Amino acid sequence: MGHIYPDVSPISPHAEAIEFVTINGLMLGDHKGNFNPKNVIHIPELCVIIVHIFDLSPQYCENEITHVPDWALPYFCACQNANLLPEDFLPRINDKAK
């Protein structure tokens, strides 16, 4: 196993999982090359991860949606069109994932 991110120790109990999600294109580091393992994932970011996990194509929704950031909208729509989101997901879109 290589050392992919400077902020993830190679002896971290999460290093192997972080390497897996990176190599398989499920998650990426930030623009500075860090993974930020202690940061909270926000729901729009979770939509991006879900699209990658289920190998979906980003899409656009038929209805206008104002709660979703523009960068996340195609990922949210892909998740919504695949029925992968609970009904109360949209009102919580800017919350932190729990």
Side-chain angles (χ1 to χ4, degrees):
M1 180 173 71
H3 188 210
I4 296 179
Y5 298 102
D7 62 339
V8 178
S9 168
I11 60 170
S12 165
H14 309 291
E16 189 174 333
I18 291 170
E19 181 179 33
F20 176 85
V21 298
T22 300
I23 289 172
N24 289 286
L26 304 177
M27 297 176 75
L28 302 172
D30 66 15
H31 65 281
K32 294 180 181 178
N34 293 310
F35 189 78
N36 303 301
K38 294 182 181 182
N39 284 7
V40 174
I41 295 174
H42 291 83
I43 292 176
E45 296 165 327
L46 182 59
C47 288
V48 175
I49 295 167
I50 291 170
V51 165
H52 290 295
I53 288 172
F54 287 96
D55 197 26
L56 302 173
S57 295
Q59 302 173 9
Y60 289 92
C61 296
E62 292 181 19
N63 301 330
E64 182 177 334
I65 298 175
T66 59
H67 292 71
V68 181
D70 289 341
W71 64 266
L73 190 57
Y75 299 95
F76 170 81
C77 294
C79 292
Q80 186 178 49
N81 293 340
N83 295 315
L84 296 173
L85 304 176
E87 290 181 24
D88 66 342
F89 196 80
L90 186 57
R92 300 180 344 203
I93 193 70
N94 291 314
D95 292 348
K96 295 176 180 176
K98 297 176 182 172

